[in-house]
Amino acid sequence: MEDRVQYVYALLGLLASFYFIYWKADPLRHIPAIGPSAPILSYLGAYKYYHNAQEVLLEGYNKYKVFRVSMLDRWVVVVSGADMNEELRKVPDTHVSFVEAVDDFTYMKYTVAPDVIEHPLHIPVVRGQLTRNLGLIFPDVVDEMEVAFPEVMPMPTQDDEWAAFPVRDTMAAIVSRISNRVFVGLPLCRDPKFLDTLVEYALSVAKARDILSVVPGLLKGIAGNLLPWSKRAIRHATAYVEPMIQERLQNMQNVGDDDAKKPYDYLTWLIEETQKAKQDPSLVIQLILLSNFAAIHTSSNSITHSLFNLAAHTEYMQPLREEVEAVIQEHGWTKNAIDKMWKLDSFMRESQRLGGIAGISVMRKVVQDITLSDGTYLPRGTMIVAASLGTHTDEKYYKNAEAFEPFRFSEMRMEGDAVRKQYVNTSKEFIPFGHGKHACPGRFFAVNELKAMMAYIVLHYDVKLEEGVSRPENVWVWHDVAPADTKVLFRKRQSKVE
Ligand code: HEM
């Protein structure tokens, strides 16, 4: 009996030693952790980060220049403040990788599509042709918007009657229509089954990612291959998009080098990009899905923040209407007109500053050891991000930082800072679209589309929150931020600008 007790003590001693050695060997031990840092106990930190990332990130931001937070399968190192954001931006791609960071966070091969990590050919198309041709595609954006709004948000027959719409999903439906008018064109952009496939797909990525994050490393590949959703989405999308690709290829062959006769749209640009990269044209289907994944929820969540702010502060409706109406009267529904809406631009940039899509940004994975300017050593494999929430609510960079001041940026622009304070512009103090070489290339398209949508809303509807409801709190899951699925009341616009 005594022997047995001694064996148990010896075993416990051994386990404690292993535990201690494992802990001491943690290559990130020198970086302060928010929450417990010991092995196993760090899951308590992960639990808190899952439910309360906002508090965890702000605690770290206020205490440290560099800190770490725990997720289920990794530590994430976070840097605080504009100068550190700038430092992170400058680390070259030889030492940090954006694509590997996204892959590590989302397990793209299994959750999004199998070949896009190796061949992210939508990026040059979004950065190049799409952005260069925003003026050219704008009439399509406007046309789709004018059809989609009345269809997705039918108004009561009685003109002064209000109707309640769940803004987040309603905006997702409209953004989906408009974006796909550009991505795949008519009539597919209005096909409810195709649009359903896209919505299901976007939701499934988050679900699949959460499942894989709790599967141990070596089994991730097996579990990933068993997940049905991305395969199903590719199968469904293939049925719609494959015939279009074939038709385009045939058409391209028929017209040969005569550029004037070639269709000039997103699908054609993607096909050309896959041809240049000597990839099979079927890759285009994955790239269409990925483009949707990058565009829809980021954009619809962003406009929802703006709409909540407008419904909670209806006093700003009048100045916005005055601006939009005057600009449209002078320039019509053109990209040029959208660029001239400074107040609206500022309103939406301010909504993005306080809302956004995540409490972190500029995510990178270290692929070659680096040492930050404060001496923090980050070995290969470390995940590093910038603290966007902390930066965006820091009094050092924004006076009255917690307050929603919709025209703070347009006022700065009037005082001479005309370019840097546009919605679309990133800086070390404004990182909702990331910053630097990998800053969102789709932001020019997104801002154009979202401003057009807000301008349309301002001109056509009155909005308000339901009785007794205040501006809904954002919903946090890990560091991801989404607006709540609260309803907002809309009615046909009653008053004209005096
Ligand atoms: C308001 C809407 C949007 C927001 C807030 C947003 C945000 C972001 C962020 C934070 C990043 C990562 C940047 C970094 O870590 O440095 C990113 C990357 C990216 N976004 Fe967006 N995005 C939006 C809309 C779009 C749209 C509409 C498209 C496509 C048309 C798009 C395509 C991309 C792509 C392709 C990347 C990867 C860039 C790269 O690998 O270099 N995004 N976006």
Side-chain angles (χ1 to χ4, degrees), residues 13 23 45 65 74 90 99 130 135 144 207 215 232 237 253 273 275 331 335 345 368 387 391 425 447 450-451 487 492:
W23 187 7
K65 218 170 182 178
R74 69 170 56 87
K90 286 185 178 156
V99 175
L130 180 68
E144 198 56 39
K207 190 164 53 178
V215 174
R232 188 186 302 157
Q253 228 172 22
E273 205 61 34
Q275 285 177 331
H331 301 276
K335 178 178 177 308
D345 193 275
Q368 215 181 114
T391 307
N425 247 54
V447 163
L450 299 182
K451 280 177 73 182
K487 288 185 175 166
K492 276 188 201 154

Side-chain angles (χ1 to χ4, degrees), residues 328-342:
I328 296 283
Q329 230 161 46
E330 193 179 342
H331 301 276
W333 276 102
T334 56
K335 178 178 177 308
N336 188 23
I338 298 296
D339 292 344
K340 295 202 177 322
M341 296 172 188
W342 284 21

Side-chain angles (χ1 to χ4, degrees), residues 56-75:
V56 174
L57 287 169
L58 283 178
E59 182 185 334
Y61 186 90
N62 291 326
K63 283 188 182 158
Y64 308 107
K65 218 170 182 178
V66 183
F67 60 98
R68 60 184 170 137
V69 295
S70 174
M71 293 186 75
L72 286 174
D73 53 351
R74 69 170 56 87
W75 286 99

Side-chain angles (χ1 to χ4, degrees), residues 8 19 54 95 107 217 303 347 370 391 405 421 425 455:
V8 172
Y19 182 83
Q54 190 172 8
H95 289 67
Y107 313 103
I303 193 171
F347 191 99
I370 53 174
T391 307
E405 292 186 353
K421 303 299 177 197
N425 247 54

Side-chain angles (χ1 to χ4, degrees), residues 151-272:
E151 267 180 36
V152 179
M153 295 175 51
M155 285 286 118
T157 40
Q158 200 78 354
D159 265 5
D160 60 350
E161 213 178 301
W162 293 89
F165 292 96
V167 181
R168 201 179 64 192
D169 292 349
T170 306
M171 289 304 117
I174 297 173
V175 166
S176 223
R177 284 270 298 258
I178 301 175
S179 306
N180 279 287
R181 174 72 180 260
V182 174
F183 294 160
V184 294
L186 279 169
L188 192 53
C189 68
R190 294 183 189 167
D191 186 317
K193 286 206 181 115
F194 177 68
L195 296 172
D196 280 353
T197 296
L198 298 176
V199 172
E200 269 169 40
Y201 171 71
L203 295 176
S204 77
V205 173
K207 190 164 53 178
R209 179 197 62 191
D210 287 348
I211 293 174
L212 289 181
S213 74
V214 291
V215 174
L218 288 174
L219 299 177
K220 278 201 205 306
I222 300 171
N225 280 319
L226 291 174
L227 296 175
W229 302 296
S230 93
K231 291 191 200 93
R232 188 186 302 157
I234 293 172
R235 229 179 21 250
H236 286 181
T238 302
Y240 295 103
V241 183
E242 169 89 59
M244 293 173 70
I245 297 174
Q246 290 311 330
E247 197 189 305
R248 292 292 158 95
L249 285 169
Q250 186 61 54
N251 194 283
M252 283 155 96
Q253 228 172 22
N254 294 347
V255 299
D257 289 337
D258 190 350
D259 279 349
K261 287 193 180 148
K262 273 188 201 164
Y264 195 66
D265 58 18
Y266 194 75
L267 199 58
T268 312
W269 300 329
L270 284 182
I271 294 173
E272 285 175 346

Side-chain angles (χ1 to χ4, degrees), residues 37 47 78 113 213 234 240 264 295 303 311 329 359-361 412 433 450 490:
S37 64
Y47 179 83
V78 188
S213 74
I234 293 172
Y240 295 103
Y264 195 66
I303 193 171
Q329 230 161 46
I360 60 165
S361 188
M412 288 179 201
F433 294 110
L450 299 182
F490 290 76

Side-chain angles (χ1 to χ4, degrees), residues 68-106:
R68 60 184 170 137
V69 295
S70 174
M71 293 186 75
L72 286 174
D73 53 351
R74 69 170 56 87
W75 286 99
V76 177
V77 174
V78 188
V79 297
S80 302
D83 288 343
M84 292 306 281
N85 299 345
E86 188 65 4
E87 184 173 335
L88 184 54
R89 172 183 82 81
K90 286 185 178 156
V91 184
D93 282 2
T94 46
H95 289 67
V96 292
S97 161
F98 170 72
V99 175
E100 284 197 35
V102 176
D103 192 27
D104 257 39
F105 269 126
T106 51

